[in-house]
Amino acid sequence: MGVVQPPPGERLERIAGPLPGYGPYPTYSDALIAACPLILKQPQATAGRPGDQEFPLRWRLSKEYCAWVYYTPDQQFELSMLATSAVQDDPRKRSCALPAVVEAPRHPPESLGYVFILHNHPFENELSDFDIRFAVAMADVHGLSVNTRAGSVPLSIIAFFSKGHDPTQPTCDGFFQYVPGTGQIIRWTAQEKGRWQRKQIATLTWLDDTNYRIQRQ
């Protein structure tokens, strides 16, 4: 429920929202905290650790799920439906095709603010080249930030991960974040008592329209 998978060879033009049974959320942090376990618990969303004996098989079967966190005229944050892809034609990576537009019946498309591109990584690895370029493309479409009642929130892409060995019981252990407006690449890790640790791990600088440089911290 809540997952949209188009037939092989077809792409979604729009993704519906809000996700039934979830939200609305007064803050974007609330939306992220709710989305992390929701996405990671989807079928084949996690593959365990690369050193695990069954990891190669789990990786081949794994899927990415993606969604938007968007801001509405009601001054609330919502989750869109989850999108996934039927075909994974590159054995080196996993992907999901997230449409650029959320279709929310209560609000016209131009009234929505696009805040976070959410997806899972089947294991703990950093953002891919595709992730980075997709985030920039979406920032070109929707702008680098969204004005909310709590202030300006920069558009960014999020990749959730679980560190656990058992894919049937995934834990929300953290996420990587790339912010096109600032070039920051950040790793967030879950701590005790609901706290999160933030560490900027790199800065990305665009050299021209197609090439970039990543400077590790």
Side-chain angles (χ1 to χ4, degrees):
M1 182 177 178
V3 178
V4 182
Q5 179 175 285
E10 296 185 15
R11 292 179 64 91
L12 299 172
E13 296 297 325
R14 297 169 179 265
I15 189 78
L19 182 66
Y22 291 85
Y25 302 97
T27 71
Y28 63 81
S29 297
D30 291 334
L32 284 177
I33 290 170
C36 186
L38 165 69
I39 291 178
L40 289 175
K41 75 178 183 182
Q42 297 303 314
Q44 287 85 48
T46 59
R49 297 184 181 183
D52 294 344
Q53 184 176 358
E54 297 182 3
F55 178 81
L57 174 60
R58 290 170 176 169
W59 167 255
R60 288 195 297 272
L61 297 175
S62 65
K63 290 184 177 183
E64 277 192 4
Y65 298 82
C66 47
W68 279 105
V69 170
Y70 61 96
Y71 188 68
T72 72
D74 297 331
Q75 299 185 330
Q76 298 287 308
F77 295 87
E78 296 274 16
L79 296 174
S80 75
M81 301 279 276
L82 309 183
T84 190
S85 299
V87 177
Q88 299 292 332
D89 53 8
D90 188 337
R92 299 167 298 175
K93 64 182 181 181
R94 292 293 175 264
S95 62
C96 51
L98 182 65
V101 177
V102 173
E103 190 170 47
R106 293 183 57 244
H107 307 291
E110 65 273 12
S111 71
L112 303 179
Y114 292 78
V115 183
F116 295 131
I117 305 156
L118 306 179
H119 70 299
N120 61 294
H121 278 181
F123 66 98
E124 184 186 0
N125 60 330
E126 294 184 17
L127 294 163
S128 67
D129 177 72
F130 176 83
D131 293 338
I132 289 167
R133 295 181 186 277
F134 185 72
V136 170
M138 291 300 97
D140 287 342
V141 173
H142 298 299
L144 291 171
S145 62
V146 176
N147 290 322
T148 75
R149 64 179 178 179
S152 179
V153 180
L155 180 148
S156 61
I157 189 166
I158 301 289
F160 297 120
F161 63 84
S162 176
K163 292 182 178 182
H165 291 279
D166 185 357
T168 66
Q169 296 182 328
T171 52
C172 176
D173 295 317
F175 59 88
F176 292 96
Q177 178 182 22
Y178 166 56
V179 187
T182 63
Q184 294 172 298
I185 299 177
I186 303 163
R187 181 178 184 270
W188 294 83
T189 50
Q191 306 292 305
E192 295 179 353
K193 299 180 180 179
R195 294 174 298 177
W196 287 80
Q197 183 182 58
R198 177 190 186 276
K199 181 180 180 181
Q200 182 172 337
I201 59 175
T203 301
L204 187 149
T205 304
W206 285 92
L207 305 176
D208 52 40
D209 290 341
T210 57
N211 299 294
Y212 57 82
R213 178 181 66 240
I214 295 179
Q215 183 177 359
R216 302 287 171 179
Q217 303 292 78

